[in-house]
């Protein structure tokens, strides 16, 4: 069984994230959306809300599981028996960061990384950007998946 993990804080889960999930799903038998939690970070939405929202989006897709973790993504991937990480890249900076992470993950755990480039028009959509818009009262529904 080909299992992949797509990790992030997903605060909030954007149409860019949904695009990655949609495009990755045909490649794997099981896709785990892993919501990371770092006690040192401030989040807009509580972990439970993020988890429930994403689970609701994919409730009709049995190959998708939504889980949380608070350790290293590579440790989470090992526990879940994943052979692949799924990552999205919007820019050259993202690519370089993901390349370095991929190298470490392959060396320490033998887990490969599959990269999806952002679809045209989604390159500037980020959770941190949306949090900023939300903070200033700007409506962001157009950037969030419908479900």
């Amino acid at each position: 069984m080909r299992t992949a993990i797509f990790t992030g804080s997903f605060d909030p889960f954007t149409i860019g994230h949904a695009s990655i999930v949609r495009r990755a799903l045909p490649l794997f038998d099981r896709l785990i959306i892993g919501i990371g939690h770092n006690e040192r970070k401030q989040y807009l939405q509580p972990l439970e809300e993020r988890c429930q929202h994403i689970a609701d989006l994919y409730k009709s897709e049995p190959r998708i599981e939504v889980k949380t973790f608070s350790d290293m993504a590579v440790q989470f991937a090992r526990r879940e028996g994943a052979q692949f990480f799924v990552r999205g890249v919007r820019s050259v900076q993202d690519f370089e960061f993901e390349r370095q992470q991929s190298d470490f993950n392959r060396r320490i755990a033998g887990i490969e990384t599959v990269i999806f480039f952002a679809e045209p028009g989604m390159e500037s959509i980020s959770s941190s950007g949306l949090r900023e818009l939300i903070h200033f009262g700007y409506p962001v529904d157009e950037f969030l998946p419908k479900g």
Side-chain angles (χ1 to χ4, degrees):
M1 178 181 281
R2 289 181 320 260
T3 300
I5 293 196
F6 181 32
T7 60
S9 61
F10 303 119
D11 184 36
F13 189 81
T14 71
I15 58 174
H17 296 130
S19 167
I20 300 301
V21 170
R22 177 180 45 78
R23 292 160 53 209
L25 193 56
L27 301 177
F28 304 102
D29 302 305
R30 180 176 172 228
L31 179 62
I32 300 168
I33 300 173
I35 305 170
H37 181 73
N38 181 338
E39 302 230 352
R40 296 178 303 237
K41 283 179 75 175
Q42 269 313 99
Y43 295 100
L44 181 67
Q45 298 175 301
L47 181 63
E48 299 76 24
E49 279 183 32
R50 287 180 277 151
C51 189
Q52 188 61 57
H53 172 70
I54 298 168
D56 288 346
L57 286 172
Y58 297 107
K59 65 183 171 213
S60 63
E61 178 47 72
R63 294 176 297 157
I64 294 177
E65 299 172 36
V66 181
K67 298 186 175 191
T68 62
F69 68 99
S70 59
D71 53 350
M72 289 176 47
V74 72
Q75 293 170 314
F76 175 59
R78 278 184 178 157
R79 276 195 311 278
E80 294 297 329
Q83 301 88 18
F84 302 94
F85 277 106
V86 166
R87 303 299 299 160
V89 169
R90 295 169 297 156
S91 66
V92 172
Q93 291 87 352
D94 283 356
F95 180 82
E96 185 55 29
F97 174 81
E98 295 300 342
R99 186 194 63 75
Q100 290 175 7
Q101 287 298 120
S102 172
D103 203 26
F104 278 119
N105 292 334
R106 189 181 320 101
R107 284 180 174 209
I108 65 176
I111 300 174
E112 290 291 341
T113 300
V114 177
I115 293 178
F116 290 87
F117 292 94
E119 291 185 84
M122 293 193 189
E123 303 93 336
S124 63
I125 299 171
S126 69
S127 292
S128 59
L130 293 190
R131 285 192 304 272
E132 185 78 4
L133 292 174
I134 291 166
H135 175 77
F136 287 103
Y138 188 86
V140 297
D141 288 349
E142 69 183 285
F143 304 109
L144 303 175
K146 310 293 182 260

